[in-house]
Amino acid sequence: MVTDARLEADRQFAELVEAIRAAGVELALYSGIKPELPAACLTKGVAEGKAFGADVVLGIGGGSCIDAAKAIAILLSYGEPLSSYYGEFKVPGPTLPVIAMPTSSGTGSEVTPVAVVADAERDLKVGIASPYLIPHTAICDPELTYSCPPELTAMSGADALVHAIEAFTTAKRTPTAETAHEHVFLGKNELSDLTALAAIEHIGASLERACTSPNDETARSRMMFGALLAGQAFGVAGTSVCHAAQYPIGAKTHTPHGLGVAAMLPFALAFNRSHAGADIVRVGCALGADVAGRGEDAAVEATIQHVERLLGVIGVPVSLAAMGLSEADLDWTAEHAMASARLIKNNPRPIDLEAMRYLIGAAHAGDRSNLNAFQSQTYAV
Ligand SMILES: NC(=O)c1ccc[n+]([C@@H]2O[C@H](COP(=O)([O-])OP(=O)(O)OC[C@H]3O[C@@H](n4cnc5c(N)ncnc54)[C@H](O)[C@@H]3O)[C@@H](O)[C@H]2O)c1
C-alpha cells in the first residue's frame, strides 16, 4: 500500500489497514510519497515492495500517491531506471495490478493511462504514458475527500475541469488502423465527448459548493464522479495547450499542477475560439453559462466569462504574473511549453513558438482581448 505521511497519521486509515490485515491479506505500508511526486521518493518504496514480495500495489491518496503506485508497479515488474519508461509506449507489458483509491477529486489518475513524476535531473515534470498504466481497479469513495481543505478542493477540482474542457475541445484526429499503436491518447471521439460533457456538468455544478461546504455530500460525490469522468475523457482524447504550458509554469513558480492549468484556461479558450467555437459553446451549455439564444461569438464570450467567474471564486489567479511567473521567464516558459509536442499537436488551433510566446505573454498580462485576432508570421489561421 502506497501513501503519504498525512494519511498514515490518520486514525481511520489505521483502522482500514487493520481491517485489511484482519481479513487475511498480508500488507506492507509505504508512506514516503510527497506532493507532485519527486521521483526520489519512489526508491525506498520499490525496495520495500521487493523485499515484501508484493503482488498487488494499492495507491491511496491524491494523484501523487496513485501515480507513485503506478510507477512502483512498473519498477517492481520491469526494474530500474524509471527514466527508461518516460514518454509513450515504453512500458513493455502489463505491470503488477494497481488498485487506486483517490482522496482528492482532480487528477483522474485512477482511470488514466499516465503517471507524472518530478525528476530532479530534468527541468520539467515528465510523464509515463502507456495503456498498461490504467489501474486494474478504482475505488472511489467521496467521503475520503471530506478532509480536503478548500485550496486543495479548488486546485484539484480545477485540474479536473481543465481535463474535461481540453478533452472536449482538442483537435479531432482521423482514426486509422495504426492510431492505437501510434498514440496512447487517441484523440477526441464520440465516447470521450460523452464523458467530457458529463464531467463538465458535474464539476461545473459542484466545484464552488465543494469548496465552500466541504461536507456537502452531493457536491463531493459529483466532484469525485466528475473527476473520474474527466480522467476517462482525457485518457482517450488527451489534453493540450493548458497542460503544455503548466509544466514550465509549475517548474518556475512551484505552484500546484491544478493552479497552472486553470490559470491558462480562459486564455487558451480565447486563443482557440476561431477553431473550436462550436465546441466551446457546448462547454458553456454543460456549465450552465448564459448561452441560450446567442450567436456563436456571444455564446463563446459568455462561456469564457462563466469560466473566469468560477475560477475567480475558487481562488485561481487572474494572470501568470499574479501566480508569480516573472517577466524574465516568459520566453523560457514558451520554449519549454513547445517541447510538449504530444500536447501541442492536440490543440485545435495550430501553435508555433511565436503564437506560444504571444499566448504566454497575454496570460501573464491577464489580457485575452487580442488573442483571437493574433496572426503568426509562420502559419495561416
Ligand atoms: N496520472 C494522471 O492522470 C495525472 C493527471 C493530472 C495530474 N497528475 C499529477 O497528480 C499530482 C497532483 O495530484 P493532487 O492534485 O491529487 O495532489 P497531491 O497528490 O500532490 O496532494 C497534494 C496534497 O494534498 C494532500 N491530500 C490529498 N488528499 C487529501 C485529503 N483527502 N485531505 C487532506 N489532504 C489531502 C496530500 O497529502 C498532499 O499534501 C501532480 O503530480 C500531477 O502532475 C496526474
Side-chain angles (χ1 to χ4, degrees):
M1 184 181 255
V2 177
T3 190
D4 59 14
R6 175 197 71 89
L7 212 48
E8 194 193 16
D10 185 283
R11 188 182 49 79
Q12 284 179 317
F13 177 74
E15 287 170 13
L16 176 86
V17 169
E18 277 323 303
I20 295 174
R21 288 190 171 131
V25 179
E26 284 179 56
L27 183 150
L29 180 65
Y30 176 62
S31 59
I33 302 307
K34 303 270 187 297
E36 303 288 316
L37 194 50
C41 70
L42 298 169
T43 313
K44 203 158 163 252
V46 175
E48 289 184 15
K50 211 180 272 176
F52 176 68
D55 46 23
V56 174
V57 186
L58 192 155
I60 177 166
S64 299
C65 292
I66 297 173
D67 284 0
K70 294 179 177 182
I72 288 173
I74 299 173
L75 294 171
L76 288 176
S77 307
Y78 298 106
E80 309 264 358
L82 191 65
S83 56
S84 63
Y85 310 104
Y86 294 168
E88 289 190 275
F89 292 118
K90 301 278 174 53
V91 179
T95 69
L96 290 183
V98 169
I99 299 175
M101 285 185 77
T103 63
S104 63
S105 294
T107 69
S109 180
E110 64 274 16
V111 289
T112 68
V114 63
V116 187
V117 300
D119 182 332
E121 286 173 19
R122 301 180 185 229
D123 283 338
L124 306 185
K125 289 182 89 175
V126 280
I128 304 172
S130 160
Y132 297 120
L133 288 193
I134 297 173
H136 178 283
T137 298
I139 301 173
C140 302
D141 180 349
E143 277 187 38
L144 293 175
T145 66
Y146 287 11
S147 56
C148 289
E151 304 76 41
L152 177 63
T153 304
M155 295 318 140
S156 51
D159 187 19
L161 180 66
V162 178
H163 287 158
I165 294 180
E166 287 211 301
F168 190 70
T169 54
T170 54
K172 204 165 188 163
R173 232 178 253 131
T174 307
T176 70
E178 298 308 312
T179 303
H181 301 283
E182 289 167 352
H183 306 278
V184 172
F185 301 94
L186 305 173
K188 167 183 169 69
N189 63 26
E190 296 294 329
L191 193 58
S192 70
D193 280 358
L194 279 181
T195 47
L197 283 179
I200 294 165
E201 265 181 41
H202 284 292
I203 297 166
S206 53
L207 178 53
E208 186 176 344
R209 180 91 184 136
C211 292
T212 53
S213 307
N215 293 330
D216 184 314
E217 264 178 56
T218 307
R220 289 295 195 184
S221 299
R222 293 190 76 175
M223 280 308 300
M224 184 161 259
F225 189 41
L228 177 143
L229 290 168
Q232 285 185 326
F234 96 81
V236 171
T239 53
S240 53
V241 68
C242 295
H243 277 74
Q246 189 281 325
Y247 289 123
I249 293 167
K252 284 292 177 197
T253 59
H254 305 288
T255 47
H257 174 79
L259 194 70
V261 291
M264 283 301 298
L265 182 61
F267 303 96
L269 291 173
F271 179 77
N272 285 331
R273 63 192 290 173
S274 56
H275 285 61
D279 282 344
I280 294 173
V281 176
R282 290 184 70 194
V283 168
C285 289
L287 281 172
D290 186 15
V291 295
R294 296 180 181 232
E296 184 173 298
D297 254 12
V300 167
E301 183 54 34
T303 301
I304 300 177
Q305 284 180 15
H306 188 96
V307 167
E308 284 172 332
R309 194 207 66 83
L310 176 59
L311 297 180
V313 292
I314 65 166
V316 174
V318 294
S319 70
L320 300 185
M323 262 183 74
L325 187 69
S326 110
E327 198 154 359
D329 289 328
L330 294 185
D331 273 354
W332 183 91
T333 302
E335 279 157 27
H336 282 75
M338 290 305 289
S340 294
R342 157 178 83 76
L343 302 174
I344 296 298
K345 75 180 179 207
N346 270 349
N347 201 61
R349 180 175 171 187
I351 304 192
D352 62 2
L353 180 58
E354 190 191 345
M356 182 62 86
R357 281 203 179 108
Y358 195 83
L359 174 59
I360 297 288
H364 185 262
D367 178 4
R368 62 177 172 81
S369 53
N370 294 319
L371 278 167
N372 192 35
F374 170 78
Q375 292 281 348
S376 171
Q377 301 302 309
T378 44
Y379 74 83
V381 291

